Amino acid sequence: MIEEIFIINKDSVYIKTIKKSPLTLRLVVLVIAAVCGMYICLISLEQPKVRTSTKLLELRVVNQSCHHPSAVEDWEIPYLHYPQPKNYSREECACNPVRFFSILTMQRSGSGWFETLLNSHINISSNGEIFSVAKRRENVSSILNTMDKVFNLDWFNSASKNECTAAVGFKWMLNQGLMEHHKEIVEYFERRRVSVVFLFRRNSLRRMVSVLANSYDKEAKPINGTHKSHTHSSIEAEILAKYKPWINTTLLIPELKKTEETASKAIEYFKNTRHNVLYYEDLDKNLTKLKEVQEFLRVPYRDLHSRQVKIHTAKLSEQIENWDEVQKCLQGTSYHSFLLSD
Ligand SMILES: *[C@@H]1O[C@H](CO)[C@@H](O)[C@H](O)[C@H]1NC(C)=O
Ligand SMILES: *[C@@H]1O[C@H](CO)[C@@H](O)[C@H](O)[C@H]1NC(C)=O
Ligand SMILES: *[C@@H]1O[C@H](CO)[C@@H](O)[C@H](O)[C@H]1NC(C)=O
Ligand SMILES: *[C@@H]1O[C@H](CO)[C@@H](O)[C@H](O)[C@H]1NC(C)=O
Ligand SMILES: *[C@@H]1O[C@H](CO)[C@@H](O)[C@H](O)[C@H]1NC(C)=O
Ligand SMILES: *[C@@H]1O[C@H](CO)[C@@H](O)[C@H](O)[C@H]1NC(C)=O
Ligand SMILES: *[C@@H]1O[C@H](CO)[C@@H](O)[C@H](O)[C@H]1NC(C)=O
């Protein structure tokens, strides 16, 4: 180090002046001290790097002792994760690979029901609407940190399993920071191999009825003063379905268009991730559709159950206050079919 300094300064007048002035000598000592200080700093900065690499080595040892299940196809290998939760040991599940997923959806599209179905599988843990809490989506880093925690199996709630988790995920509404930060989120999904399940409703007029009824319920709370977005009781479902919303037809077509555009924009943003587009109506009509979902998530097939009861089961014409007006508004438009499907 010291030699280097002299080499650098060999030809300069600086060296010569050192001898003359004790002040410059002091300066040189200072410089040497500073360089030594920097050197020490550098060495101590090296230390964590050393530690990290031993940590990586440990991880690699863990990986090596886990053989991928024989049924796994080559393309799947990057999608297999072996999380090591911070606060507990996975012990007997350590070598059970875990896949990551996210359900991207909109409010009142059946995602609550869909999640209860998924969570009835012993190996699936779907952690709910984690980004409904504004603080978790305040900025990109809090979004990514929250996902890290979920995917590391460090997120505890009723969806956490005692059995070996084979797929872990959560549901995410498009209006919860997902569209704003889509670039970083797509990057994260691609890097960490998160599979995407889009869940939409084909009939967004029915969705609109559900949205309006749900926001009415938030205010009126006809069930003993509690707000219910979902129910397990057919009596409660009947009470909730009694309310018939009035739809502002000036806004109807623009709203339906907006919903449609948001959904296709989301699919466009995430088109390069591994994804699957599901429609609530298809699931509702034919629960064997859930077999495809399980195949997509690469979990062993099981019959899935939900105790949730559907709220709006009647014909659409019986669920909208100003049905005639709505009918007139959509007649002959591309949304005409929404009036007919039940
Ligand atoms: C080994 O573990 C690391 C860290 O958990 C992970 O990033 C990597 O993909 C794993 N490798 C294999 C082959 O599973
Ligand atoms: C992101 O938000 C979190 C709170 O959720 C905050 O603590 C953090 O400082 C914010 N980071 C940036 C870069 O703004
Ligand atoms: C893990 O334990 C620490 C200390 O007990 C706690 O602060 C932290 O919140 C825990 N993490 C999770 C994900 O529960
Ligand atoms: C599902 O959980 C059971 C019980 O913990 C476990 O034996 C099985 O290996 C798990 N399946 C997968 C695919 O992880
Ligand atoms: C509402 O109150 C009635 C009468 O007090 C009771 O029978 C019923 O179980 C309550 N329903 C709920 C959902 O709490
Ligand atoms: C319907 O929406 C339009 C446009 O926002 C608004 O001008 C009008 O007042 C609304 N009608 C009613 C009855 O609320
Ligand atoms: C339900 O879907 C499965 C495949 O997804 C199909 O084979 C079956 O015929 C369908 N059943 C009905 C009643 O549509």
Side-chain angles (χ1 to χ4, degrees):
M1 274 293 163
I2 294 166
E3 261 176 27
E4 265 171 33
I5 290 169
F6 277 93
I7 291 163
I8 291 163
N9 292 324
K10 215 170 207 166
D11 303 325
S12 68
V13 218
Y14 192 58
I15 297 252
K16 285 167 204 156
T17 53
I18 288 173
K19 287 162 197 153
K20 288 173 199 159
S21 148
L23 188 74
T24 22
L25 192 64
R26 256 180 250 154
L27 258 173
V28 167
V29 171
L30 203 74
V31 168
I32 291 169
V35 168
C36 285
M38 269 165 64
Y39 182 62
I40 289 163
C41 262
L42 271 176
I43 287 185
S44 56
L45 276 177
E46 276 319 323
Q47 225 92 53
K49 266 188 216 153
V50 172
R51 247 179 266 136
T52 324
S53 61
T54 49
K55 206 171 168 189
L56 280 178
L57 267 178
E58 278 164 28
L59 283 181
R60 224 167 283 146
V61 170
V62 168
N63 284 7
Q64 270 168 6
S65 62
C66 295
H67 295 286
H68 297 312
S70 53
V72 163
E73 292 168 29
D74 281 349
W75 68 265
E76 287 184 82
I77 290 172
Y79 292 88
L80 305 183
H81 305 275
Y82 298 89
Q84 296 183 306
K86 284 204 179 76
N87 285 9
Y88 63 99
S89 155
R90 284 186 78 217
E91 291 174 38
E92 71 272 21
C93 302
C95 284
N96 271 68
V98 179
R99 276 117 167 141
F100 301 161
F101 68 89
S102 182
I103 303 159
L104 308 189
T105 184
M106 296 183 187
Q107 280 83 358
R108 312 310 294 174
S109 301
S111 63
W113 171 66
F114 181 58
E115 263 202 322
T116 58
L117 287 165
L118 292 183
N119 278 321
S120 72
H121 192 299
I122 62 164
N123 301 113
I124 302 180
S125 175
S126 193
N127 289 276
E129 207 174 310
I130 58 170
F131 288 112
S132 63
V133 177
K135 210 171 148 48
R136 297 179 191 151
R137 55 172 203 261
E138 207 163 66
N139 53 49
V140 170
S141 56
S142 53
I143 289 176
L144 302 189
N145 284 339
T146 301
M147 287 199 285
D148 278 346
K149 220 166 157 184
V150 171
F151 292 136
N152 202 40
L153 302 180
D154 276 324
W155 199 268
F156 301 111
N157 64 20
S158 58
S160 308
K161 292 286 159 77
N162 286 323
E163 292 86 2
C164 295
T165 302
V168 61
F170 60 94
K171 67 167 169 164
W172 202 343
M173 301 298 157
L174 300 189
N175 62 0
Q176 290 172 346
L178 188 79
M179 301 300 271
E180 287 103 302
H181 302 297
H182 67 91
K183 250 176 96 173
E184 292 90 345
I185 295 163
V186 164
E187 191 275 329
Y188 182 95
F189 280 12
E190 287 180 347
R191 178 165 53 83
R192 301 214 62 194
R193 308 289 179 150
V194 180
S195 298
V196 171
V197 177
F198 285 106
L199 177 62
F200 294 126
R201 262 183 108 133
R202 288 192 197 280
N203 190 336
S204 43
L205 180 59
R206 269 191 176 271
R207 177 178 171 267
M208 191 181 274
V209 168
S210 182
V211 167
L212 292 169
N214 187 51
S215 70
Y216 163 80
D217 187 73
K218 226 177 254 175
E219 297 298 319
K221 303 188 180 90
I223 299 175
N224 291 359
T226 51
H227 170 50
K228 291 257 174 170
S229 291
H230 307 286
T231 179
H232 292 154
S233 132
S234 48
I235 297 165
E236 286 184 2
E238 219 169 273
I239 298 171
L240 290 171
K242 268 195 189 128
Y243 171 72
K244 290 164 71 166
W246 175 91
I247 291 176
N248 187 335
T249 48
T250 317
L251 300 171
L252 179 55
I253 288 179
E255 284 287 334
L256 294 176
K257 195 171 266 169
K258 201 174 105 195
T259 304
E260 201 175 63
E261 283 170 0
T262 307
S264 40
K265 210 189 228 173
I267 295 175
E268 174 64 23
Y269 286 158
F270 287 81
K271 66 168 188 254
N272 291 331
T273 63
R274 179 170 180 266
H275 67 274
N276 189 12
V277 184
L278 272 181
Y279 290 96
Y280 165 78
E281 285 84 350
D282 299 347
L283 276 178
D284 190 34
K285 273 200 200 90
N286 186 351
L287 271 182
T288 56
K289 193 89 188 156
L290 284 170
K291 197 169 181 176
E292 281 171 37
V293 174
Q294 293 176 75
E295 273 161 17
F296 177 74
L297 296 176
R298 312 295 290 176
V299 292
Y301 178 69
R302 283 183 176 260
D303 275 328
L304 306 181
H305 307 277
S306 171
R307 293 196 301 118
Q308 278 195 15
V309 178
K310 195 171 163 173
I311 297 167
H312 294 103
T313 50
K315 277 195 247 161
L316 207 43
S317 58
E318 289 164 18
Q319 286 172 25
I320 296 174
E321 183 68 42
N322 54 336
W323 173 249
D324 290 342
E325 216 184 331
V326 167
Q327 214 175 5
K328 216 174 280 165
C329 177
L330 297 185
Q331 211 81 255
T333 71
S334 58
Y335 305 112
H336 181 82
S337 63
F338 292 169
L339 299 165
L340 310 171
S341 61
D342 49 33

